[in-house]
Amino acid sequence: QLVESGGGLVQTGGSLRLTCTASGRAISGVVIAWFRQPPGKEREFVAAIKRRNGNAYYTASVEGRFTISRDSAGNMMYLQMDHLQPEDTAVYYCAAGRRSDSHAYYTRPEAMDDWGRGTLVTVSS
C-alpha cells in the first residue's frame, strides 16, 4: 500500500513537495510514477523514474517545473512541484509498476500495479 502526502492549497507560482511511501518498506516495482486526476477528467501521467538507472521522464506540461526523485534506499519517492499553475489542480497519486519500465507502460494508469489513495493539490489563481 502506497501513501501520498504533501498536498494542499497554494497560490499560482508557488511550490509543493509531494512524498510517497510504502509504510516504511521499499517501494517495490521496476518503475515508480506520479499520476494526477484533475476535476472531471481522466487520470493522467505526470512523471516516472526507473529503478534500474534512475532516469526520469515527464509529461510535456510539467517538464521544467516538476522534479521526480527517490531516496537511495528506495523507501520514498518525491515530486517537487514549482511554478504551479491553476491547471495543475488535481488529486495526485503515486503508483508502482512491476512488469515493465517501458514508456508505453508507465504512462498508462491501467498498467500500474500498486496505487496510493491520492493527495489533493489545489492551485488558486
Side-chain angles (χ1 to χ4, degrees):
Q1 178 68 38
L2 303 178
V3 180
E4 305 93 340
S5 61
L9 174 64
V10 64
Q11 291 185 333
T12 296
S15 298
L16 283 175
R17 188 194 198 204
L18 305 184
T19 299
C20 176
T21 65
S23 301
R25 301 177 298 172
I27 301 174
S28 63
V30 296
V31 61
I32 47 179
W34 289 96
F35 289 78
R36 66 186 180 187
Q37 188 162 12
K41 297 184 178 181
E42 298 292 317
R43 194 170 299 190
E44 61 186 24
F45 168 74
V46 176
I49 188 166
K50 295 184 179 182
R51 180 175 299 279
R52 61 183 168 92
N53 58 18
N55 287 354
Y57 304 87
Y58 302 91
T59 193
S61 63
V62 309
E63 185 86 47
R65 300 188 297 123
F66 290 12
T67 303
I68 187 173
S69 63
R70 60 180 181 176
D71 71 335
S72 58
N75 293 339
M76 303 182 78
M77 177 175 67
Y78 308 97
L79 186 67
Q80 177 66 40
M81 305 186 295
D82 298 317
H83 306 293
L84 283 161
Q85 302 297 314
E87 52 266 34
D88 295 317
T89 294
V91 177
Y92 283 72
Y93 300 89
C94 65
R98 290 184 249 114
R99 290 165 282 175
S100 173
D101 65 1
S102 69
H103 179 271
Y105 180 82
Y106 62 69
T107 54
R108 295 165 47 218
E110 63 272 22
M112 304 304 278
D113 298 293
D114 302 308
W115 289 89
R117 294 187 177 184
T119 185
L120 177 62
V121 171
T122 304
V123 184
S124 62
S125 57

